[in-house]
Amino acid sequence: MPQKGRPHHCPAPTPVTQMQMLPTASLSDLERQFSERMRGSSLVGYFTVDGRSKRAPEEDRYDISSVEKVADDRWRFNVRMRHGNFDMTLPVVVPVKWIEDTPVVTLTDWNIPSLGTFTCRVLFHGDRYAGTWQHGPVGGLMYGRIEKQQTPP
């Protein structure tokens, strides 16, 4: 049965504490490369808010200690999220779909504990990420570079 406010096609997230990382040997080459690329990386970029076209994009940053596959298409991002006055560290388990060699986070009305309900499509390609985001009535674009951290967060 779907949760209130959650479409039937979007299952409730499994509690992070119940999810174990899958063995590295079970990952495909692309999955292993994605996990290694994201380990100790930062997403350093900008986000926009629809309807604020005269305002410059705002900076945001996601410091990722690791990204681990925990189920069929579920990945845990152990991340520190920073933008504006917001600064929070937590594990976030999200669906990741593959379009050929490109991983894409695909959330539809997805509840992230402590943050709220989000819809987004964010792709990772080479040293860049880009996508769309929606949080209730507010949404926009996000984009930037994937950079290796000098010292892990």
Side-chain angles (χ1 to χ4, degrees), residues 11-24:
T14 303
V16 173
T17 56
Q18 296 177 10
M19 304 192 91
Q20 298 293 323
M21 182 175 88
L22 295 179
T24 303

Side-chain angles (χ1 to χ4, degrees), residues 75-93:
W75 291 72
R76 178 176 43 231
F77 285 68
N78 296 300
V79 61
R80 179 180 179 193
M81 295 177 261
R82 293 187 276 179
H83 56 267
N85 293 329
F86 180 83
D87 188 338
M88 178 180 270
T89 302
L90 70 160
V92 180
V93 176

Side-chain angles (χ1 to χ4, degrees), residues 4 28 37 40 46 65 68 71 84 114 124 147:
K4 183 177 180 184
S28 71
R37 173 67 184 104
Y46 301 91
S65 58
E68 307 153 343
S114 302
F124 303 89
E147 301 176 354

